[in-house]
């Protein structure tokens, strides 16, 4: 059960990004990976025309979706396609979502996850202000799906700050969780590793954290430090900056045993706490 995460430094040229992604996915496949996770905005980082990009893809005029299907077939690889802008399936003219697609080794789409939590924050970097909600609509549902390497829960980047999402994924049977990301350099330095390892520990899942790691259009800097972290919070593989294809094995038997020995789901005391008269109920 071999897993891979891909780190990129994507730019605004979609076709160049796809060429880079293919080269890194080939490296992952050569390392024995059955499933690989691309980073957030792997194909269209820094584009200002994401609505057009997304609608073109939805209407069959864009290069990303055909490329994704072909490379999955060519490499015999299940791929979590980081994120790309796509409108809802049932509303092709609607506002785009930050969409993470899972395709199987035949190039067929298996699942779609639209990022639930949008990054609207002020950050102490050169850009200063991020407002994803200006360009994207938020997703509405959890996604957990079976793959050849285990039951996969899907998340994206800013989702990492919302523990209740990860608890819900574990309750839905997740054994590994994808987290394609483009953390800013400032927030990543402060919180990235702690968040990835904490989410792994509290869910007893493998975390597949595929990041952007370098400088992008407009001078935006991303943190990198893509990693594969196991159910015990151990970092199995990590890359600080630049391009990388990281590969590690999932030990399913050891994960099951760890969950048996420490059955944290059985020890939960509450699911939806309420504040009553100043106390937690």
């Amino acid at each position: 059960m071999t897993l891979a995460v891909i780190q990129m430094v994507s730019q605004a040229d979609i076709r160049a990004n796809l060429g880079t992604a293919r080269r890194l996915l080939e490296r992952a496949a050569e390392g024995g990976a059955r499933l690989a996770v691309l980073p957030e905005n792997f194909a269209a980082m820094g584009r200002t025309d994401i609505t057009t990009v997304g609608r073109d893809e939805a209407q069959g005029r864009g290069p990303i979706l055909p490329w994704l299907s072909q490379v999955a077939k060519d490499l015999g690889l299940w791929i979590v396609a980081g994120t790309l802008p796509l409108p809802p399936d049932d509303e092709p003219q609607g506002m785009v979502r930050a969409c993470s697609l899972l395709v199987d080794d035949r190039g067929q789409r298996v699942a779609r996850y639209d990022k639930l939590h949008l990054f609207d924050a002020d950050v102490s970097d050169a850009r200063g202000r991020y407002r994803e909600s200006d360009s994207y609509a938020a997703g509405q549902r959890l996604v957990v799906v079976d793959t050849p390497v285990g039951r996969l829960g899907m998340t994206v980047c800013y989702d990492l700050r919302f523990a209740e999402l990860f608890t819900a994924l574990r309750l839905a049977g997740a054994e590994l969780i994808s987290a394609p990301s483009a953390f800013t350099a400032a927030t990543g330095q402060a919180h990235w590793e702690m968040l990835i390892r904490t989410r792994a520990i509290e869910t007893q899942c493998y975390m597949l954290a595929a990041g952007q790691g370098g400088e992008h259009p407009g001078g935006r800097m991303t943190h990198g430090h893509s990693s594969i972290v196991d159910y015990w919070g151990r970092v199995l593989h990590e890359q600080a900056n630049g391009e990388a294809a990281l590969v590690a094995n999932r030990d399913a038997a050891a994960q099951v045993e760890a969950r048996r020995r420490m059955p944290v789901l059985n020890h939960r005391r509450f699911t939806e706490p309420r504040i009553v008269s100043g106390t937690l109920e």
Side-chain angles (χ1 to χ4, degrees):
M1 295 187 179
T2 306
L3 316 168
V5 300
I6 304 300
Q7 182 163 288
M8 296 176 63
V9 189
S10 299
Q11 304 297 312
D13 185 330
I14 290 176
R15 292 191 182 276
N17 292 332
L18 296 181
T20 298
R22 170 146 191 155
R23 172 170 51 82
L24 294 169
L25 288 168
E26 288 173 350
R27 192 182 305 172
E30 290 167 1
R34 295 292 308 281
L35 178 143
V37 181
L38 290 164
E40 188 175 24
N41 286 325
F42 75 98
M45 188 79 173
R47 296 287 292 243
T48 59
D49 59 343
I50 60 166
T51 296
T52 300
V53 170
R55 290 178 180 173
D56 283 350
E57 291 294 333
Q59 295 167 18
R61 299 194 301 265
I64 303 172
L65 293 177
W67 171 89
L68 178 60
S69 178
Q70 189 63 52
V71 74
K73 286 189 290 187
D74 289 349
L75 300 181
L77 191 63
W78 286 60
I79 301 173
V80 177
T83 64
L84 61 154
L86 279 180
D89 291 335
D90 59 355
E91 191 183 351
Q93 294 303 311
M95 194 171 186
V96 297
R97 273 65 167 169
C99 172
S100 186
L101 296 178
L102 173 66
V103 298
D104 66 16
D105 53 5
R106 298 173 297 171
Q108 301 297 309
R109 191 175 99 176
V110 175
R112 169 177 174 155
Y113 168 71
D114 294 342
K115 185 177 183 180
L116 283 170
H117 301 96
L118 300 180
F119 187 53
D120 288 0
D122 297 334
V123 176
S124 57
D125 64 8
R127 179 167 170 175
R129 170 167 287 200
Y130 296 82
R131 292 292 182 270
E132 280 190 332
S133 62
D134 288 347
S135 303
Y136 295 96
Q140 300 296 323
R141 64 189 184 93
L142 302 176
V143 176
V144 181
V145 61
D146 290 321
T147 79
V149 293
R151 191 157 170 79
L152 175 72
M154 301 179 71
T155 72
V156 173
C157 199
Y158 192 49
D159 285 336
L160 282 165
R161 296 185 181 275
F162 300 89
E164 64 274 15
L165 168 59
F166 288 79
T167 298
L169 293 174
R170 171 67 200 276
L171 288 168
E175 297 166 316
L176 50 150
I177 298 174
S178 56
S181 300
F183 254 60
T184 71
T187 58
Q189 184 176 6
H191 299 144
W192 169 259
E193 182 176 343
M194 280 187 285
L195 285 168
I196 296 297
R197 296 182 70 185
T198 298
R199 299 296 168 251
I201 293 165
E202 68 190 6
T203 62
Q204 298 172 308
C205 285
Y206 281 79
M207 288 295 300
L208 308 178
Q212 296 279 356
E215 185 172 355
H216 310 276
R220 179 176 176 178
M221 298 294 299
T222 49
H223 179 63
H225 292 269
S226 297
S227 58
I228 301 174
V229 178
D230 77 2
Y231 55 87
W232 199 247
R234 293 171 292 215
V235 179
L236 304 182
H237 213 337
E238 181 180 18
Q239 172 80 16
N241 302 112
E243 297 173 356
L246 309 180
V247 176
N249 292 322
R250 175 189 171 216
D251 188 334
Q255 184 179 15
V256 168
E257 177 63 10
R259 289 179 169 190
R260 185 193 68 79
R261 290 169 62 88
M262 189 180 293
V264 293
L265 284 191
N266 298 340
H267 299 156
R268 296 170 70 238
R269 296 293 300 276
F270 54 84
T271 56
E272 296 180 0
R274 297 181 297 126
I275 299 295
V276 178
S277 300
T279 62
L280 189 66
E281 181 180 274

